[in-house]
Amino acid sequence: MKKFIYLIFAFLVVYACKNESKEVPENIQNESEKAEFSIIIHGGAGNIKRDYLSEEKEAAYSQKLEEAIRVGYEILKNGGTSLDAVQNTINILEDSPLFNAGKGAVFTYEGLNEHDASIMDGKTLNAGASAGTKTVKNPINLARAVMDDSPHVMLSREGAETFAEEQGLEIVDPSYFSTEKKLKSLERIKASEKNKVASFYDADLQDSKFGTVGCAALDKHGNLAAGTSTGGMTNKRWGRIGDSPIIGAGTYANNNTCAVSSTGWGEFFIRGMVAHDISALMEYKGLTLKEAANLVIQKKLSELGGDGGIIAIDKNGNMVMEFNTQGMFRATMNDKGELYIGMFKD
């Protein structure tokens, strides 16, 4: 009788596990598996609904996300480093006017485009960041240079631009970043009767704080890296800086746990140190990446009043895309070459 009961119990356990595995996206392996390499990206989280995107615009976002992630995938596939994969993938997104980073950066109150970026090496915990630059074509390249070629972690404004010139990075006229759509967004917000801090968050996805881009990767050498780049929020004033260039808030990578890139309402990601919090929950409490990301985004961040999301990858190549908004532009590729692209909550 005891043997019969044991067999029934074992059957139920196996059945439950099989059912649960069906909820995992096909290209994101189970926690028990280990990938040779993986890469994940985001292009911002926010009020992204099917009704808000035309078929043409949806196709444009999908094409650019695929183009970007395939650049990083090829680097990883050929044995390149996670840092190079992250940097080169973000370059593609920075060069597109679709996102709020690089070429597509939003405008400040003064009618300028200011950029923030950061990158982190999970092997050494070295990191680099820049804030408030106006002439560096690819801010993620500046963040990488700060990490590799300076004794500092973060440089800002004119000093960061001087350093970029000394490092031979591409410098452009500020007009390069000006796009008609983002300028109209600024004009619309300024014309609003609710021209207060709260008005930043009433506009649609591309009009306010969303559209930040980011990438996290695991390479064949077992090293993690993450990077984030943004133009901040429309109509920002007084030299405001969000979470994207802040290590532990917008970007974090640690080979012992995971690599994370954030997007959303930066003030709350800073207060919650969201990226590092996910890593800490894994390291100190033994949570899985999925458990940690869900706790931080759906509970801790939401209770603070913040909205947005993260993409993350752990040391085994498991990937998570967690957000508490209506959608997030996102994509993943694993070592099998399987591609996933998502935009909406469903």
Side-chain angles (χ1 to χ4, degrees):
M1 184 63 180
K2 289 183 178 180
K3 184 176 181 181
F4 177 77
I5 293 174
Y6 173 81
L7 290 173
I8 293 296
F9 176 78
F11 172 80
L12 291 174
V13 170
V14 171
Y15 179 79
C17 290
K18 285 184 177 179
N19 278 345
E20 184 178 6
S21 67
K22 292 179 181 179
E23 299 175 2
V24 180
E26 291 182 358
N27 68 325
I28 299 180
Q29 74 276 11
N30 295 321
E31 295 284 352
S32 60
E33 298 178 2
K34 183 176 177 62
E36 189 177 18
F37 64 91
S38 300
I39 185 169
I40 184 168
I41 65 175
H42 72 74
N47 194 26
I48 309 171
K49 297 182 179 180
R50 294 184 187 277
D51 296 343
Y52 295 173
L53 289 180
S54 65
E55 291 184 4
E56 292 77 14
K57 188 172 289 187
E58 185 176 338
Y61 278 106
S62 179
Q63 185 276 328
K64 188 56 63 174
L65 289 169
E66 180 173 353
E67 177 188 350
I69 200 167
R70 285 193 180 279
V71 167
Y73 169 80
E74 288 299 322
I75 291 173
L76 297 173
K77 180 182 178 182
N78 294 323
T81 68
S82 54
L83 283 167
D84 286 344
V86 165
Q87 180 180 351
N88 285 274
T89 295
I90 291 178
N91 281 162
I92 300 298
L93 300 174
E94 287 179 330
D95 291 344
S96 169
L98 290 173
F99 306 98
N100 177 18
K103 175 63 177 175
V106 298
F107 284 83
T108 67
Y109 177 84
E110 292 81 11
L112 304 172
N113 306 107
E114 296 183 352
H115 308 88
D116 306 328
S118 64
I119 195 167
M120 186 167 184
D121 181 357
K123 179 181 180 181
T124 63
L125 301 187
N126 198 6
S130 63
T133 60
K134 305 180 186 69
T135 62
V136 180
K137 180 175 181 287
N138 292 104
I140 195 66
N141 293 354
L142 174 54
R144 178 74 184 271
V146 172
M147 180 179 72
D148 290 344
D149 302 313
S150 87
H152 309 300
V153 171
M154 183 185 291
L155 301 179
S156 68
R157 301 189 175 277
E158 292 80 6
E161 291 175 340
T162 298
F163 176 77
E165 292 179 8
E166 293 175 353
Q167 293 298 312
L169 300 183
E170 187 170 359
I171 304 299
V172 296
D173 187 89
S175 62
Y176 164 81
F177 302 107
S178 178
T179 58
E180 184 178 357
K181 180 179 179 181
K182 303 300 170 62
L183 184 58
K184 287 183 177 179
S185 297
L186 174 66
E187 293 170 351
R188 184 161 58 251
I189 288 182
K190 280 192 170 185
S192 171
E193 293 181 355
K194 299 183 295 182
N195 190 19
K196 302 175 182 178
V197 172
S199 71
F200 295 144
Y201 311 105
D202 293 337
D204 66 54
L205 170 80
Q206 299 302 322
D207 287 347
S208 56
K209 65 185 182 301
F210 297 111
T212 293
V213 304
C215 178
L218 171 71
D219 62 31
K220 290 184 177 181
H221 313 289
N223 295 321
L224 291 165
T228 311
S229 182
T230 189
M233 63 168 64
T234 302
N235 205 29
K236 65 183 180 182
R237 303 183 68 178
W238 311 299
R240 179 264 185 187
I241 296 172
D243 66 300
S244 295
I246 298 178
I247 300 303
T251 300
Y252 191 74
N254 187 327
N255 276 7
N256 293 326
T257 53
C258 62
V260 182
S261 175
S262 307
T263 175
W265 193 338
E267 279 70 13
F268 290 92
F269 280 77
I270 295 171
R271 295 170 192 171
M273 291 304 290
V274 165
H276 180 266
D277 198 19
I278 292 171
S279 172
L281 286 168
M282 295 176 68
E283 185 170 7
Y284 303 137
K285 295 194 69 174
L287 271 61
T288 65
L289 175 60
K290 183 177 181 180
E291 292 169 339
N294 180 268
L295 174 59
V296 171
I297 299 301
Q298 304 302 340
K299 181 174 173 58
K300 300 177 76 171
L301 180 66
S302 295
E303 288 179 351
L304 278 176
D307 53 2
I310 58 95
I311 50 106
I313 182 170
D314 71 13
K315 61 183 181 181
N316 292 321
N318 296 299
M319 295 178 282
V320 165
M321 303 165 285
E322 194 74 45
F323 51 96
N324 63 5
T325 55
Q326 290 297 319
M328 180 169 71
F329 293 115
R330 59 200 189 275
T332 67
M333 286 192 77
N334 60 18
D335 53 0
K336 300 179 181 65
E338 296 168 324
L339 171 68
Y340 167 82
I341 297 176
M343 299 182 194
F344 312 107
K345 197 169 188 177
D346 55 355

